[in-house]
Amino acid sequence: MQSYTQLSTELLELLRTANHIRRIEKGTYLFHEGQIAKELYLVLSGKIQLSKMVPDGRELTIRMCSEGDLIGELVIFCEDQNYMLNAKINESGEVAVISKKELEEKLGENHALALEFMKWFSGQYRRTQTKFRDLILHGKKGALYSTLIRLSNSYGMKCLEGIMIDTPLTNQELANFCGTSREVVNRLLSDLRKNEVISIEKGIITIHDLEYLKIEIDCENCPIDICNVE
């Protein structure tokens, strides 16, 4: 994950120049898709799910954000821009609230910092594009396999049986990552379990054959900072 710890000291300080700190509570929303975007948020603690509603009413999870992630960056240097995603709080914490207008002014005054910010933003864009590529090219099965690979890169822990994804996930949450229904995910996970590619215990998934998943979706072995869910 490319978080704020990988930015220069100068840009980090710029992002920390916040108007105030806001407490966020689990189950609430930081903002909704379509709302006027006047602020960006630097996550100080907690977890936030960025998602988009598709026309048929399903929810597609774009990424999970945690400490150090910047949320709302898509609106920078866009006039009268609305938020393109929903930001739901999955774990209570705090965010630093940054004025979009003030950040744009400061980036406009320092071209070197503006360039670095654009490079950082480009990394976020590449992660989103690769996810959409997997969804489009490989269908529902590919979407799930890709999600499992990304989860292993974000939360995976090596164990004797393979790679354990060290965070509990419901089938509905997996379906949201894949942009499909829970029923489809149930069936695909059942097939993977029968073929001993994965096992699931109390919501914790262990991947026994990661190579199988990669071969099935023609994995390009992108760097981990691109291939993740964060």
Side-chain angles (χ1 to χ4, degrees), residues 64-78:
M64 297 295 294
C65 301
S66 54
E67 180 184 353
D69 283 324
L70 186 66
I71 297 176
E73 72 278 8
L74 294 174
V75 302
I76 285 290
F77 297 116
C78 296

Side-chain angles (χ1 to χ4, degrees), residues 4 15 20 31 59 62 64 77 79 84 99 102-103 107-108 113 129 164 179 189-190 199:
Y4 73 113
L15 294 178
H20 60 277
F31 53 79
E59 182 180 25
I62 304 300
M64 297 295 294
F77 297 116
E79 292 295 331
M84 300 174 64
S99 165
E102 290 181 15
L103 180 57
L107 290 175
L113 288 183
Q129 288 298 100
M164 180 179 68
L189 288 176
S190 178
S199 60

Side-chain angles (χ1 to χ4, degrees), residues 172-200:
Q172 184 59 61
E173 288 171 330
L174 282 173
N176 291 347
F177 273 112
C178 301
T180 188
S181 68
R182 180 168 55 85
E183 290 73 20
V184 169
V185 167
N186 290 346
R187 176 175 55 80
L188 293 173
L189 288 176
S190 178
D191 291 342
L192 289 175
R193 294 173 74 173
K194 289 178 181 177
N195 292 326
E196 299 184 345
V197 177
I198 67 168
S199 60
I200 306 175

